Amino acid sequence: MSEQPVVSVRVEDRIAWVKFARPEKRNAMNPALNRQMMEVLDDLEYRDDVGVLVLGGEGNSWSAGMDLKEYFRETEAQGLRGVRKSQRESYGWFRRLRWFQKPTIAMVNGWCFGGGFGPLFACDLAICADEAQFGLSEINWGILPGGGVTKVVVDLLPMRDAMWLTLTGELIDGKQASAIRLVNESVPLERLEARTTEVAQLLLKKNPVALKFAKDAVRRVGVMTYDEAEDYLVRMQEAANFHDKTDGRKEGIRQFIDEKSYKPGLGSYDL
Ligand code: ACO
């Protein structure tokens, strides 16, 4: 990376800890951060030593959303060409993260505003600190939640909650975010990393091919009719059987029925 690093990465025990790293700017996403995130995702996606990606934030913020100066004002000064370029860069890595090869967990440690809901939604699971604060502040500075954010809240939340956040710009804390299911769970900040590690370790025990096909299926079937979904899921399982060179499905049945070494209702087979 030629630019100053504004994303931090640490890989340990098959967990990639990726963090927004502009704490002095509350991890607002500027064009450099958007470019670096894409490079980091490229680098991590097919590494054998990475099984789960966690997206966190350095300092007291997860992300204060798009950088109002560098992402909006400075790119707008370059005209439409600059605007579209920086939109491609941010939407590009959000999309890449949504369909990432490995399961992903948003670990929300602090502020999460506006455009931050893009990567929040892109992560498969989300765990936050009770102390985290979430808000759609767009309305407070005179715009609608764009860049997919309105779609994110409508997909994730009941209409009243989506409308409340959108129109009032009021903050909700981690416990409230968990209560409306914006995140899976909320824990005290001091437990956030430990709990995220536990969840990541749970995922690391599962068949990685099944994880990728299953997470894509959850995102895809929502807009399908029942018959389309049924057909899609049959085809996807057949494709998964082709991609899983360990023949995990048969091995899972064998360890249960023949070896009696585990019970699928109570945990995973031995990979
Ligand atoms: N864009 C650009 N700069 C930002 C952003 C942002 N989104 N958020 C924080 N910063 C900068 C501040 O300008 C300040 O810079 P400076 O030190 O050069 O003056 C620095 O980060 C620290 O910010 P403070 O406001 O001093 O930090 P504080 O802890 O008091 O407040 C808070 C944190 C609440 C996050 C506040 O910074 C804030 O309201 N930020 C904007 C949040 C927002 O509305 N984001 C946009 C959402 S809409 C969208 O993403 C499309």
Side-chain angles (χ1 to χ4, degrees):
M1 287 173 200
S2 46
E3 295 161 320
Q4 184 200 344
V6 284
V7 175
S8 69
V9 184
R10 175 170 60 91
V11 176
E12 202 175 313
D13 300 330
R14 306 202 58 233
I15 305 173
W17 299 88
V18 177
K19 292 190 176 177
F20 299 104
R22 299 180 76 212
E24 73 291 351
K25 298 288 182 189
R26 305 299 178 261
N27 297 330
M29 291 177 274
N30 65 352
L33 186 143
N34 292 327
R35 282 192 287 273
Q36 289 178 27
M37 276 292 185
M38 185 64 112
E39 287 176 26
V40 164
L41 295 181
D42 267 341
D43 174 50
L44 294 172
E45 187 157 24
Y46 293 100
R47 270 172 59 167
D48 291 338
D49 61 340
V50 173
V52 174
L53 183 147
V54 173
L55 182 60
E58 302 282 2
N60 70 350
S61 191
W62 194 65
S63 174
M66 308 321 293
D67 187 307
L68 301 196
K69 175 170 170 281
E70 294 184 38
Y71 180 83
F72 287 109
R73 192 163 69 188
E74 290 177 5
T75 56
E76 278 161 25
Q78 297 162 23
L80 193 57
R81 183 189 168 95
V83 171
R84 291 286 180 264
K85 179 170 183 291
S86 61
Q87 286 170 339
R88 277 198 305 278
E89 287 167 348
S90 60
Y91 303 168
W93 80 263
F94 298 171
R95 187 178 309 116
R96 188 67 184 276
L97 188 60
R98 277 203 304 283
W99 302 104
F100 199 68
Q101 184 69 24
K102 318 286 170 63
T104 54
I105 306 172
M107 182 178 77
V108 184
N109 50 303
W111 301 112
C112 176
F113 281 108
F117 280 55
L120 178 68
F121 175 70
C123 290
D124 303 319
L125 300 174
I127 303 173
C128 73
D130 296 343
E131 294 86 343
Q133 297 279 338
F134 298 81
L136 296 188
S137 55
E138 284 89 339
I139 203 72
N140 292 340
W141 61 281
I143 69 163
L144 62 79
V149 171
T150 298
K151 175 69 175 156
V152 165
V153 288
V154 168
D155 276 5
L156 283 178
L157 302 175
M159 192 271 261
R160 295 292 181 210
D161 293 314
M163 199 65 94
W164 177 265
L165 291 173
T166 302
L167 297 187
T168 68
E170 290 284 288
L171 290 169
I172 56 171
D173 65 19
K175 285 184 177 165
Q176 291 169 301
S178 173
I180 63 171
R181 313 310 297 141
L182 183 61
V183 298
N184 291 95
E185 56 184 84
S186 179
V187 296
L189 182 59
E190 64 194 27
R191 288 248 313 122
L192 181 62
E193 196 161 320
R195 178 61 187 145
T196 306
T197 304
E198 281 173 10
V199 175
Q201 285 169 346
L202 184 66
L203 296 172
L204 288 172
K205 294 197 182 100
K206 313 293 180 192
N207 179 313
V209 176
L211 282 173
K212 168 63 174 157
F213 279 83
K215 63 179 252 179
D216 287 4
V218 170
R219 288 189 189 270
R220 291 278 188 218
V221 297
V223 293
M224 294 181 191
T225 64
Y226 191 93
D227 281 353
E228 285 167 346
E230 196 179 64
D231 193 46
Y232 167 86
L233 293 168
V234 167
R235 309 286 160 220
M236 284 303 111
Q237 184 56 54
E238 288 166 357
N241 295 346
F242 171 79
H243 280 284
D244 183 5
K245 302 305 175 204
T246 68
D247 221 355
R249 181 171 160 274
K250 288 186 182 155
E251 180 60 16
I253 295 175
R254 193 190 68 76
Q255 289 181 20
F256 176 50
I257 299 294
D258 303 333
E259 208 173 84
K260 299 193 184 306
S261 54
Y262 84 112
K263 294 179 192 292
L266 305 179
S268 312
Y269 76 96
D270 202 3
L271 288 181

